């Protein structure tokens, strides 16, 4: 039995998030999750995050694009504004949030109204990438996360463009996940007798049909990987929220 314990422990830490004081679920604990798979699903489902950082002594929350290398558990964030602060305070921590809104929960009373959502918060000390090879790798991860297949289709960055690009690398080791789903919860109380409609209004985000650049010469077809990005609303993947 003792010989099996290391393997069992390894499986546990590979599928569960470590709980820290910042990621511990104190309110609405039933909506929290410590499963790595739940974190990964939220991160896979979109490509825009909000980066909370202190810049020149002032807190800022910057919307920006990101990509994830799930093999190395690394989050790459495009952060030209945040990079200034990181150079001056290299050990400063930041918080990255990703949120999916799945619908409005309209109850019989305003107090019971809510939102169905999936969200993740990642705490980390970001690292400004300066190595050329790692910068290329990070940009590839970010590009493929947003539009799979585009890195091999489009021209890749040259040395001048790389020098003008700021990319941050963050560990996914410390993260918090919360979700809410389902109908209103006031059907069993007094408000259930009011005779008012209650339910959920779903919200779906999806890619539509590609629109060509007006300057594009005739005869250049939409590449297959771009055409494949169009999908019915309600399916999963970057740009589509189920």
């Amino acid at each position: 039995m003792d010989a099996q314990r290391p393997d069992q422990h390894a499986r546990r830490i590979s599928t569960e998030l470590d709980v820290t004081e910042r990621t511990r679920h104190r309110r609405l604990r039933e909506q929290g999750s410590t499963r790595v798979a739940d974190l990964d699903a939220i991160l896979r489902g979109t490509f825009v995050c909000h980066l909370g950082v202190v810049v020149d002594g002032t807190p800022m929350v910057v919307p920006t694009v990101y990509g994830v290398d799930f093999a190395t558990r690394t989050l790459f964030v495009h952060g030209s504004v945040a990079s200034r602060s990181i150079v001056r305070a290299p050990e400063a921590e930041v918080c990255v949030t990703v949120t999916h809104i799945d619908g409005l929960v309209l109850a019989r009373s305003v107090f019971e109204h809510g939102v169905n959502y999936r969200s993740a918060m990642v705490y980390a000390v970001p690292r400004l990438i300066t190595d050329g090879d790692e910068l290329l790798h990070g940009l590839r991860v970010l590009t493929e996360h947003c539009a799979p297949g585009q890195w091999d289709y489009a021209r890749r960055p040259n040395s001048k463009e790389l020098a003008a690009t700021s990319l941050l690398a963050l560990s996914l080791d410390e993260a918090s996940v919360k979700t809410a789903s389902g109908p209103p919860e006031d059907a069993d109380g007094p408000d259930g007798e009011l005779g008012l409609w209650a339910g959920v209004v779903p919200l779906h985000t999806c890619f539509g049909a590609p629109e060509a650049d007006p300057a594009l010469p005739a005869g250049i077809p939409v590449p297959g990987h771009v055409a494949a990005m169009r999908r019915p609303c309600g399916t999963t993947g970057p740009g589509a929220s189920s």
Side-chain angles (χ1 to χ4, degrees), residues 105-113 183-194 196-199:
V105 181
L106 303 181
R108 296 156 184 84
S109 70
V110 173
F111 181 78
E112 294 294 339
H113 281 40
E185 298 181 350
D186 59 352
D188 295 334
D191 290 335
E193 305 298 326
L194 292 177
L196 300 175
W197 184 91

Side-chain angles (χ1 to χ4, degrees), residues 28 38-39 93 117 119 122 132 135 159 186 210 232:
L28 300 175
D38 291 338
L39 170 64
E93 293 187 328
Y117 68 93
S119 67
V122 177
L135 184 57
S159 57
D186 59 352

Side-chain angles (χ1 to χ4, degrees), residues 84-148:
R84 300 200 312 267
S85 177
I86 291 166
V87 168
R88 298 175 185 177
E91 297 303 317
E93 293 187 328
V94 303
C95 180
V96 173
T97 62
V98 175
T99 306
H100 301 264
I101 302 300
D102 295 324
L104 288 174
V105 181
L106 303 181
R108 296 156 184 84
S109 70
V110 173
F111 181 78
E112 294 294 339
H113 281 40
V115 176
N116 284 342
Y117 68 93
R118 291 161 289 144
S119 67
M121 299 175 65
V122 177
Y123 297 94
V125 176
R127 177 172 54 85
L128 183 63
I129 298 176
T130 56
D131 177 78
D133 290 339
E134 187 181 12
L135 184 57
L136 274 174
H137 171 70
L139 289 174
R140 182 184 187 281
V141 169
L142 189 150
T143 302
E144 289 297 292
H145 185 94
C146 298

